[in-house]
Amino acid sequence: NDQNINLDEVKIGPDYFPTNPSLKLVYNSSMGEAYAEIKKKGNSYIMDLRNDDFYFVQTVFVENDSVFLTKLEQEVDVFLFISSSASVTYNRPYLRFPFPLKKNDNWTWNGVEYIDEENPDTIKVSGKVLGGEVVETEAGKFDCVKFQIDITKKKSGTHTKFYEWRTPKIGLVKLEAFIDSKGFIGTIMSLLGYDEMKFELKEIL
């Protein structure tokens, strides 16, 4: 019963990816409850999403309203004593969102990613604005813009698809990620028996 929103009048700007350090959010996820917070570091922002079993930390900066990703650190505890982590960097800042966007806009970014400063792989990211939707979560009802992001990697041959539902000033309300089992996180997710990863806003602290 998600209702659609007409995006003709909606200005999709950087407030859909807020970098406000006072914003603290709790999500329900496939891997249990997770906490999100933002720290400012120089001209960048560290977006930290974690619980006892994993962390997912993005380092971003905003320039001319576009959001760029420079580093991604991730770790998942697979079983009691085994944890697997990786630090991902890029040959140039990865275009996360080229705001302002409008209905039906799409964008692409091509670059090289490195895992733990090695293993270069050519990466192509395509994003598009799919439409507007009202999303109801435990935290309330939100007027969201739904984005699709596809990431393909040449050497590893992986294709990961994300759907992100975002709302102004809060950012991510809901995420569905279909993760290729050949990739780093994908291998772990399939070990744990997941074929997709879901996050949904539970609480705004």
Side-chain angles (χ1 to χ4, degrees):
N1 56 348
D2 291 344
Q3 299 150 274
N4 289 335
I5 298 163
N6 182 354
L7 287 189
D8 294 332
E9 303 298 311
V10 176
K11 182 182 179 294
I12 309 167
D15 57 343
Y16 279 80
F17 196 103
T19 50
N20 172 3
S22 67
L23 185 65
K24 290 182 171 48
L25 304 171
V26 186
Y27 291 91
N28 286 317
S29 87
S30 326
M31 302 172 72
E33 211 173 77
Y35 295 85
E37 56 183 9
I38 301 165
K39 302 178 189 85
K40 192 169 187 339
K41 186 181 176 186
N43 293 328
S44 295
Y45 297 91
I46 314 286
M47 327 274 297
D48 185 308
L49 177 66
R50 69 177 60 225
N51 71 8
D52 294 343
D53 297 322
F54 75 89
Y55 63 72
F56 191 78
V57 182
Q58 305 175 73
T59 303
V60 303
F61 68 90
V62 183
E63 193 174 273
N64 301 327
D65 286 352
S66 287
V67 179
F68 293 92
L69 177 68
T70 54
K71 188 176 187 185
L72 178 60
E73 293 160 274
Q74 46 199 26
E75 178 176 291
V76 181
D77 293 338
V78 186
F79 301 109
L80 287 169
F81 308 109
I82 306 168
S83 78
S84 188
S85 62
S87 171
V88 184
T89 49
Y90 307 93
N91 65 325
R92 59 197 182 92
Y94 164 145
L95 178 60
R96 191 76 174 76
F97 285 104
F99 295 121
L101 290 161
K102 56 189 189 309
K103 191 167 82 171
N104 303 327
D105 273 357
N106 51 62
W107 69 93
T108 55
W109 179 87
N110 295 284
V112 178
E113 76 162 23
Y114 304 91
I115 295 181
D116 300 326
E117 294 178 17
E118 301 171 352
N119 313 310
D121 201 345
T122 308
I123 172 176
K124 180 184 180 188
V125 180
S126 330
K128 57 184 165 197
V129 179
L130 290 184
E133 241 174 64
V134 177
V135 176
E136 204 167 336
T137 73
E138 235 179 282
K141 259 187 180 182
F142 302 93
D143 288 358
C144 293
V145 173
K146 183 180 182 184
F147 301 92
Q148 178 179 332
I149 292 156
D150 286 88
I151 301 170
T152 48
K153 298 180 189 181
K154 198 168 178 180
K155 194 165 74 178
S156 63
T158 60
H159 174 201
T160 297
K161 180 180 285 198
F162 290 90
Y163 295 102
E164 295 185 24
W165 287 259
R166 293 182 163 273
T167 200
K169 296 190 173 65
I170 291 166
L172 190 68
V173 171
K174 184 174 153 186
L175 168 78
E176 285 179 8
F178 297 88
I179 294 162
D180 196 313
S181 63
K182 292 193 290 269
F184 164 74
I185 287 276
T187 308
I188 295 163
M189 296 306 284
S190 46
L191 274 175
L192 295 173
Y194 300 115
D195 54 356
E196 62 174 310
M197 205 194 280
K198 286 185 173 177
F199 284 86
E200 201 171 89
L201 191 60
K202 180 184 180 182
E203 198 182 345
I204 300 162
L205 296 176

